[in-house]
């Protein structure tokens, strides 16, 4: 029978990959245990409600600008692609 070597290689590779995954999993668990004993306290700045609303408004404006820009870029790329498709299908074959 031909092809036994290929299957043997595939089986060995899968076995090695599984062994590497186990090593990585145990390393992650060790890292978690090392950092879980210490606690970090985070202190945030106190901001008035008016200032918080202003900051939220700025963030929303920036997000809307990014969404609008991405939509326009998508439309431009779509119409360029559509133009190339139409040109290649109708005018380039003549």
């Amino acid at each position: 029978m031909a092809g036994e070597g290929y299957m043997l290689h595939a089986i060995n590779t899968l076995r090695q990959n599984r062994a590497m995954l186990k090593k990585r999993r145990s390393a992650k668990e060790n890292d978690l245990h090392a950092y879980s004993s210490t606690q970090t306290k985070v202190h945030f700045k106190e901001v008035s409600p008016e200032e918080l609303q202003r900051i939220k408004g700025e963030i929303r404006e920036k997000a809307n600008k990014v969404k609008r820009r991405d939509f326009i870029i998508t439309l431009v790329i779509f119409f360029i692609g559509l133009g190339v498709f139409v040109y290649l299908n109708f005018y380039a074959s003549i």
Side-chain angles (χ1 to χ4, degrees):
M1 281 193 178
E4 295 93 9
Y6 293 111
M7 283 310 298
L8 187 60
H9 177 69
I11 291 169
N12 285 335
T13 304
L14 287 172
R15 187 178 301 135
Q16 291 168 356
N17 288 344
R18 245 183 275 124
M20 287 184 346
L21 283 174
K22 288 177 185 174
K23 287 179 187 175
R24 184 169 43 172
R25 242 183 264 136
S26 66
K28 284 183 181 178
E29 289 172 2
N30 289 339
D31 287 344
L32 289 176
H33 294 303
Y35 293 115
S36 64
S37 64
T38 61
Q39 243 182 358
T40 304
K41 297 210 178 212
V42 179
H43 299 285
F44 294 104
K45 292 182 181 179
E46 295 296 322
V47 180
S48 66
E50 297 84 19
E51 184 73 16
L52 190 60
Q53 290 300 323
R54 185 186 65 77
I55 293 170
K56 285 181 181 180
E58 288 177 5
I59 292 172
R60 286 185 182 123
E61 284 178 26
K62 287 180 185 178
N64 285 337
K65 284 181 184 178
V66 168
K67 269 196 242 179
R68 195 175 313 125
R69 185 196 66 199
D70 290 348
F71 181 72
I72 290 171
I73 290 172
T74 303
L75 280 178
V76 168
I77 291 172
F78 173 74
F79 283 118
I80 288 173
L82 184 65
V84 168
F85 178 75
V86 168
Y87 175 77
L88 291 176
N89 279 329
F90 295 112
Y91 298 114
S93 62
I94 295 176

